[in-house]
Amino acid sequence: MRSWKISLVLINENDGSEMPATIFEKATYKLHPTFGDRETQVIKKPPFKISEEGWGEFDMRIIVSALDKGGDHELTHDLNFQQERYEAEHKVTFKNPKPNLLEKLKESGPVGGGGEENGVKSKRGDESAKKRKRSEKGVDMEKLAESLQRLGEEDLLQVVEMVHNNKTADTYTKNDVEQGEFHVDLYTLPDSLVRMLWDFCVEKLGS
């Protein structure tokens, strides 16, 4: 019988040092089925360490859940006993991280080579301007958000499909399968899609 343990850390891109993996809220370890009721283990505090005993080697799945609804990211780790101690690097990519997560990411190195970081800042800074611009086109963003919440289940499914079919690279969406929820930042939608959603709500709910 062999004893083993695994923990998760971040690597600072500036100097290669290890940092606490505070960008994650939890880590879910999926072990071999022979572990029985310990096959799935959820750890909610860095360094997300688990300690176990066993004979066999296997590919372990680790699902890390990011802060600020940054999504779940699955890693595959090769558990083996060829060395007494070893490390494995995994790269996790975030698309359109929210401000809190973005700040945590900056602590471990450059974010998006400057381009994505500047893009996020400019989008936040121009949010009110976008709102004014769309109001001038006859789209009240607050009223649109309220109207979307009033739609029935079948209509909401059509909305999700419309967003998927017409979104751009700047559009922020998150599909939370476990909770049965779909999140979208209306201010990241292209103008044509905003108008499409507005017309759809007017058709279903009236002006």
Side-chain angles (χ1 to χ4, degrees):
M1 187 74 69
R2 292 178 179 267
S3 297
W4 54 266
K5 60 184 178 180
I6 292 179
S7 58
L8 304 178
V9 297
L10 299 182
I11 301 298
N12 190 316
E13 292 187 5
N14 295 320
D15 57 17
S17 62
E18 294 185 354
M19 300 176 57
T22 53
I23 62 172
F24 301 120
E25 291 181 333
K26 66 179 180 179
T28 304
Y29 291 87
K30 299 286 188 177
L31 309 184
H32 194 274
T34 53
F35 281 85
D37 58 1
R38 302 194 315 281
E39 178 184 353
T40 299
Q41 300 187 33
V42 180
I43 312 296
K44 296 185 177 181
K45 185 178 180 180
F48 306 105
K49 182 169 70 174
I50 65 168
S51 301
E52 279 293 346
E53 293 183 336
W55 288 110
E57 301 178 347
F58 62 94
D59 286 337
M60 177 192 308
R61 294 168 54 218
I62 307 173
I63 297 99
V64 288
S65 303
L67 292 174
D68 222 2
K69 298 181 179 180
D72 294 338
H73 306 267
E74 183 170 321
L75 316 174
T76 300
H77 177 68
D78 174 22
L79 178 70
N80 65 73
F81 305 112
Q82 297 175 16
Q83 302 177 56
E84 188 70 21
R85 174 186 172 88
Y86 68 100
E87 299 176 350
E89 287 193 14
H90 300 273
K91 183 173 290 187
V92 178
T93 302
F94 298 93
K95 183 177 181 181
N96 298 323
K98 292 290 187 177
N100 290 342
L101 176 56
L102 185 62
E103 288 302 315
K104 289 290 184 182
L105 289 171
K106 289 178 184 177
E107 295 176 4
S108 62
V111 179
E116 291 179 11
E117 177 183 337
N118 291 336
V120 171
K121 286 184 177 178
S122 65
K123 279 190 288 186
R124 292 289 167 183
D126 292 340
E127 187 170 291
S128 60
K130 286 184 178 181
K131 181 177 179 180
R132 287 195 301 271
K133 179 181 177 183
R134 286 174 180 164
S135 295
E136 290 171 359
K137 293 182 179 182
V139 177
D140 185 324
M141 298 299 280
E142 292 183 3
K143 186 173 181 179
L144 174 59
E146 294 174 359
S147 298
L148 289 171
Q149 294 178 16
R150 291 167 51 203
L151 292 174
E153 185 175 348
E154 291 187 4
D155 291 336
L156 285 174
L157 290 175
Q158 291 186 54
V159 167
V160 172
E161 185 176 357
M162 290 164 63
V163 171
H164 277 306
N165 292 339
N166 297 277
K167 66 182 180 180
T168 66
D170 293 328
T171 301
Y172 174 82
T173 62
K174 182 177 184 297
N175 194 7
D176 192 335
V177 178
E178 290 185 2
Q179 299 296 325
E181 297 178 348
F182 178 79
H183 304 271
V184 59
D185 186 341
L186 295 178
Y187 288 102
T188 65
L189 300 180
D191 289 341
S192 58
L193 181 53
V194 171
R195 168 55 65 180
M196 193 182 303
L197 294 176
W198 176 265
D199 292 341
F200 182 79
C201 289
V202 170
E203 178 186 345
K204 298 296 181 179
L205 304 172
S207 58

